[in-house]
Amino acid sequence: MTDNEVASNAAKELEEKLSLKENEAREEDGEEDEEEAGKGGEDNASSADKKKKKKKKSKKKKTPQEQTVPPRVGLSKIFVNKKYPVGEIVDYAEDNLWRTTNEEKRALDRQENNHWNDLRRAAETHRQVRQYAQSAIQPGMSLTQIANLIEDGTRSLVEEDGLNSGIGFPTGLNLNHIAAHYSPNAGDTMTLKDKDVMKVDIGVHVNGHIVDSAFTMSWNPDCDPLLAAVKAATNTGIREAGIDARMSEIGEAIQETMESYEVEMNGKTYPVKSIRNLSGHDIKPYSIHGSKSVPIVKGGEDVKMEEGETFAIETFGSTGRGLVHADLECSHYAKNQDAGHIPLRLPRAKALLNSITQNFGTLPFCRRYLDRVGESKYLMALNNLVSAGIVHDYPPLVDIKGSYSAQFEHTIVLHPTQKEVVSRGDDY
Ligand SMILES: [Co+2]
């Protein structure tokens, strides 16, 4: 089955579920109304029986619950009509402004309503989890504690359910010169320290529709301009993105914003550089990296963004070389989608591959997630799968030691009518 088929089947299923739930809700409302109407004039009747009856009824009826601290209430219990908040909506620029009100484009967009609702459920999970994380994370905590704090929240709020909903990719907790793809493995001893800068990259998916969004937390006031540069650069990318927008032009605009900032540290001035070998990307169902990149420096391809596509717009700024390389122990992996059937002789590797397929499909995973599903002593088998080209490894990407980097990232949808910044919140 292709990814698209998987997605559309899942969407169909959800559509059925949605309309079922809507009918249930309507029926319940109807009963309630009838009861109210039947009471007629005696609306102040204080018969204990009636009160009891009413209470029982409203218990059965789904009333929205409130989120807890830490967040543990599944979003379907808060958004009882199963309609999740729409992200920031932005009209397209001049040439495409006609799309906003075009009836044909609006109809086209409505056909995908279940898809957008899934993505918005993932985004609302992201917002609630990260806002809690922003208030709870503090120096002294281990990266393992921080990862658990985030992932426990995500699993609860998105109501994790096999491959139907859950974590979209391993939580990235990238300190200082580490730009991307660091997540603690079992036994990791790294802790968050005073003066650290940490990029937090969180993925949530519903029916394979992934929200990919990241932010940077800093306990180093010297790095404030670095964070400001990257936040502004990401917003430049979001502004420039649109149907028919060229990647090369988006990259150039991002770099211009990014590199108009500098950082002063210990009496030295550092220019903020766009990390030139990192980029944004399109997102496909169950596939975090599609086939297009969104560069963050000039000189990119002339490929255009197209109607209906979803993109992760992410930018990275650094006080170092502005170039990353692989280093440190690997935690991130994902099944290679293009790998056809490769015969595996090693039974241990075969079994591990089955477990990966069953638990993660083509979604990225990390070693902690393998531990969690009960795998152990799998490192050799995992390395076999990597050498065979069946699984891809994504080692941490770092700039030079002593440098600081920051990242901000949003997931956007290029609707036929308008652009939606799905993961926008009042924090970033
Ligand atoms: Co991304």
Side-chain angles (χ1 to χ4, degrees):
M1 223 187 228
T2 69
D3 291 326
N4 282 325
E5 280 170 286
V6 170
S8 74
N9 278 347
K12 236 180 258 163
E13 229 170 76
L14 185 80
E15 194 179 353
E16 276 163 19
K17 267 191 233 162
L18 271 174
S19 59
L20 252 174
K21 285 275 152 58
E22 257 169 35
N23 285 340
E24 269 173 41
R26 239 176 268 135
E27 270 167 33
E28 272 172 4
D29 279 351
E31 275 173 45
E32 187 87 12
D33 287 349
E34 264 168 46
E35 198 187 43
E36 299 270 36
K39 274 198 210 160
E42 37 157 14
D43 53 337
N44 278 329
S46 57
S47 135
D49 268 7
K50 261 187 190 157
K51 268 201 174 161
K52 234 184 216 165
K53 197 180 168 202
K54 188 112 202 256
K55 237 185 196 162
K56 245 189 186 167
K57 256 259 152 81
S58 57
K59 229 182 203 174
K60 225 171 82 187
K61 193 187 168 187
K62 281 173 201 138
T63 41
Q65 289 182 27
E66 270 179 46
Q67 191 50 272
T68 55
V69 183
R72 291 293 181 266
V73 179
L75 291 193
S76 72
K77 304 210 167 55
I78 295 172
F79 299 89
V80 288
N81 66 358
K82 309 280 199 288
K83 295 236 168 20
Y84 298 94
V86 177
E88 179 194 24
I89 298 288
V90 188
D91 282 341
Y92 288 120
E94 309 105 46
D95 285 1
N96 273 324
L97 185 57
W98 60 272
R99 289 170 168 274
T100 308
T101 51
N102 183 271
E103 206 35 64
E104 204 177 311
K105 293 296 177 197
R106 288 163 67 111
L108 197 63
D109 193 49
R110 273 197 299 273
Q111 289 175 7
E112 292 288 319
N113 265 345
N114 288 329
H115 173 172
W116 309 141
N117 198 47
D118 283 351
L119 205 54
R120 288 167 189 156
R121 184 174 140 206
E124 182 60 18
T125 297
H126 197 289
R127 271 188 293 271
Q128 293 197 15
V129 168
R130 81 191 189 220
Q131 280 167 15
Y132 170 67
Q134 287 159 8
S135 71
I137 295 173
Q138 44 185 307
M141 292 172 81
S142 72
L143 294 198
T144 305
Q145 273 179 304
I146 296 171
N148 287 335
L149 173 157
I150 291 168
E151 291 164 4
D152 290 347
T154 299
R155 294 184 203 277
S156 303
L157 270 55
V158 80
E159 293 156 289
E160 183 179 57
D161 172 24
L163 286 173
N164 297 323
S165 62
I167 289 176
F169 55 79
T171 306
L173 297 173
N174 303 288
L175 290 181
N176 306 325
H177 72 296
I178 306 172
H181 297 169
Y182 191 94
S183 198
N185 289 329
D188 189 286
T189 55
M190 240 191 250
T191 59
L192 183 65
K193 304 215 169 49
D194 287 327
K195 300 283 173 92
D196 271 353
V197 171
M198 181 168 68
K199 287 122 280 176
V200 181
D201 202 346
I202 305 174
V204 189
H205 88 93
V206 173
N207 291 317
H209 303 303
I210 309 168
V211 164
D212 179 359
S213 178
F215 57 96
T216 301
M217 297 178 76
S218 167
W219 289 268
N220 186 339
D222 289 346
C223 285
D224 288 352
L226 172 66
L227 270 64
V230 182
K231 199 183 262 192
T234 294
N235 280 327
T236 294
I238 292 168
R239 192 189 65 223
E240 295 296 313
I243 295 169
D244 296 331
R246 281 174 203 284
M247 301 302 179
S248 53
E249 286 166 18
I250 298 170
E252 190 168 351
I254 287 172
Q255 184 172 26
E256 200 177 306
T257 301
M258 184 80 80
E259 300 191 351
S260 65
Y261 289 76
E262 52 188 28
V263 175
E264 252 187 71
M265 235 181 290
N266 311 318
K268 242 192 110 180
T269 303
Y270 299 85
V272 175
K273 293 178 188 161
S274 265
I275 299 183
R276 58 184 185 271
N277 54 346
L278 290 177
S279 57
H281 48 93
D282 63 332
I283 302 175
K284 294 269 162 64
Y286 292 102
S287 170
I288 186 62
H289 284 201
S291 47
K292 293 182 177 177
S293 332
V294 186
I296 62 174
V297 291
K298 61 174 185 270
E301 289 181 275
D302 262 347
V303 177
K304 288 176 176 177
M305 291 183 166
E306 293 170 70
E307 179 180 287
E309 286 182 325
T310 300
F311 284 95
I313 304 293
E314 58 185 315
T315 76
F316 295 81
S318 171
T319 61
R321 294 164 66 202
L323 187 71
V324 289
H325 60 276
D327 193 17
L328 307 171
E329 187 176 82
C330 188
S331 62
H332 286 43
Y333 302 84
K335 227 175 104 170
N336 190 346
Q337 286 171 315
D338 311 320
H341 181 74
I342 301 170
L344 271 172
R345 281 171 299 113
L346 301 158
R348 189 66 190 84
K350 233 181 205 172
L352 182 66
L353 180 60
N354 282 337
S355 170
I356 289 169
T357 303
Q358 205 175 37
N359 288 293
F360 315 113
T362 53
L363 291 170
F365 58 92
C366 62
R367 293 191 200 171
R368 280 183 299 111
Y369 301 173
L370 285 174
D371 303 335
R372 203 176 161 273
V373 299
E375 294 295 330
S376 63
K377 302 193 176 110
Y378 49 74
L379 215 49
M380 178 106 75
L382 185 56
N383 287 332
N384 289 152
L385 293 174
V386 171
S387 337
I390 299 168
V391 166
H392 201 291
D393 57 342
Y394 297 90
L397 298 170
V398 311
D399 201 327
I400 48 170
K401 271 201 185 123
S403 67
Y404 289 94
S405 56
Q407 172 198 23
F408 281 94
E409 175 178 29
H410 275 299
T411 294
I412 67 166
V413 171
L414 301 181
H415 290 284
T417 47
Q418 285 164 310
K419 173 163 61 183
E420 179 178 355
V421 189
V422 188
S423 48
R424 183 72 82 190
D426 46 27
D427 49 349
Y428 69 90

